[in-house]
Amino acid sequence: MTSRTVTLLDVARAAGVSKSTVSDALQGSGRVAAATRDRVRAVAEELGYRPNSAARRLRRSSTGAIGLHLPRTATRLDYYMNLAFGAVERAQEEGFDVMLLAPTGVAGGGGGSSDSAGPTSPAGPTSPAGATSPTSPAGAASPANGPIASRVDGLLVIDPEVDDSAVPGLLDAGVPVVTGERYLGPTAAPTGAVICDNAASLTALLDHVTERGARHPAVLAPAGTSAWATALRATATSWARERGVAVALRTVPFAATPGEAEETTLALLRTDPSVDAVICAPDGAAPGVLRAAATLGRPVGPGAPPAAAPHARTATDALPRTPLLIASCVDGTATRSAEPPVTAVDLRPAAYGRACAELLCDILAGRTTPDTVRRHAWALETRAST
């Protein structure tokens, strides 16, 4: 069919399905079986079908907005705020506002999703989501706003957790969905994803501290069911097995505070004083590990001289004062401004947010196909703490 433009109807006839099924399969929306979606896309590619993105947006009465769903702890963490600003910036370059979806409500109309906080201003938001509004109680519909698919052209779902009840509804909302990291749950797959190699980043940290002399590292890994948290816990275990090095693995809250990290580190080092490196996963929690080291008289850094041990008067006085290496799985203000500055993985959150928004915009404009997975690069920033 090279003499004229191939239409949806041509693809539908060749694939033996309805025109609406073809549309849903190519856009990654609706409830199309995976085998049917793959067959439709193969037929479309064979026939040379090219979507008319302008006509599609007109038929859908484009809202000019995309939704952004962040983890429940996002407002406490610099990482997600930087990511959100990056997404907003890239979306606005394509003419889209960004609507922040609060994590407590589900939209009506059969598809559970978060209630919204309102779109950003094209001139630039004062916060990642612009003006806010009250959210509906969990499980309640939002009568003022209606189903999410009628309010946005697509969705960004960042670090989706299996136990986040809003995520399945978002993935089945009837609009293209791009996730930041993979979704490990059993429901529908997203239209596209941008992923980091989180196993490689923790491996790099563990290799780094052992190269600097650590023989018994510890990892304060995040709890939770996101791909990031799951990968870090699994990698700590597999790295220890493959290298033949004992790793003390402790689980802390996904968004552990410095105080929680300090408490966990104090208990760890008092119980197992042979630990000579602590890798702290949660964003902003590493200063708590530094405080624990100071409390126990453990100098930080590979060249730090052992502290002189006084005559033991307490259990803490009796602990060894050998140097301790400290690193973080997430870089940020807390790690850069700490004393000493803390070695960390720079996940480049603003660039990550831009990459997620760019993939969604590319899918909406027909510049790339659904099921596209892109990778986002990280960098290891070594500092005085190791």
Side-chain angles (χ1 to χ4, degrees):
M1 294 187 179
T2 58
S3 61
R4 64 179 179 84
T5 301
V6 178
T7 66
L8 279 178
L9 185 57
D10 294 326
V11 178
R13 287 171 176 165
V17 297
S18 69
K19 184 178 175 181
S20 62
T21 297
V22 171
S23 178
D24 286 343
L26 295 180
Q27 293 187 51
S29 59
R31 296 178 179 272
V32 181
T36 302
R37 183 178 66 246
D38 293 343
R39 185 172 79 255
V40 167
R41 291 174 182 171
V43 169
E45 183 175 355
E46 180 181 350
L47 296 179
Y49 173 74
R50 295 293 179 268
N52 184 333
S53 59
R56 184 173 66 242
R57 286 171 65 88
L58 183 61
R59 286 193 300 271
R60 290 191 63 245
S61 299
S62 173
T63 65
I66 61 177
L68 174 62
H69 178 79
L70 298 170
R72 287 161 288 196
T73 54
T75 55
R76 292 169 46 195
L77 304 178
D78 287 344
Y79 172 83
Y80 289 112
M81 294 299 97
N82 288 323
L83 186 152
F85 276 112
V88 167
E89 181 182 67
R90 183 65 187 91
Q92 290 184 344
E93 291 171 2
E94 296 276 342
F96 286 103
D97 288 334
V98 176
M99 179 181 293
L100 182 63
L101 306 178
T104 53
V106 293
S113 75
S114 305
D115 198 9
S116 68
T120 64
S121 163
T126 55
S127 69
T132 59
S133 64
T135 60
S136 302
S142 175
N145 294 324
I148 190 66
S150 68
R151 293 181 278 134
V152 298
D153 292 341
L155 292 165
L156 298 174
V157 181
I158 307 301
D159 278 336
E161 295 184 282
V162 175
D163 57 1
D164 184 343
S165 61
V167 171
L170 293 171
L171 292 175
D172 198 30
V175 295
V177 180
V178 166
T179 58
E181 296 299 349
R182 298 187 187 278
Y183 177 57
L184 304 181
T187 58
T191 317
V194 180
I195 63 174
C196 287
D197 193 341
N198 299 305
S201 66
L202 180 55
T203 295
L205 281 176
L206 285 164
D207 287 345
H208 171 71
V209 296
T210 53
E211 288 166 2
R212 297 301 172 94
R215 294 295 175 264
H216 185 18
V219 175
L220 307 188
T225 53
S226 70
W228 178 70
T230 302
L232 294 187
R233 295 195 302 268
T235 300
T237 300
S238 62
W239 185 93
R241 182 176 61 252
E242 292 166 5
R243 303 295 199 280
V245 175
V247 174
L249 179 61
R250 299 292 185 273
T251 301
V252 294
F254 182 89
T257 64
E260 290 169 327
E262 179 181 10
E263 181 179 351
T264 300
T265 305
L266 284 171
L268 167 69
L269 296 179
R270 284 167 174 157
T271 302
D272 191 354
S274 65
V275 167
D276 51 10
V278 177
I279 296 174
C280 181
D283 180 17
V289 181
L290 289 171
R291 290 203 300 262
T295 297
L296 298 178
R298 299 285 296 269
V300 175
H311 178 70
R313 292 184 300 274
T314 67
T316 295
D317 289 337
L319 293 174
R321 304 301 178 98
T322 53
L324 183 70
L325 306 183
I326 296 175
S328 173
C329 293
V330 183
D331 200 10
T333 302
T335 50
R336 290 190 293 267
S337 62
E339 184 53 47
V342 174
T343 291
V345 173
D346 183 2
L347 296 172
R348 303 168 51 241
Y352 191 40
R354 283 186 62 88
C356 292
E358 181 167 300
L359 177 54
L360 180 57
C361 290
D362 285 349
I363 290 172
L364 291 171
R367 295 190 293 260
T368 192
T369 59
D371 292 336
T372 296
V373 176
R374 293 176 180 170
R375 294 188 176 275
H376 178 69
W378 50 268
L380 178 61
E381 300 291 340
T382 58
R383 301 190 178 105
S385 67
T386 60

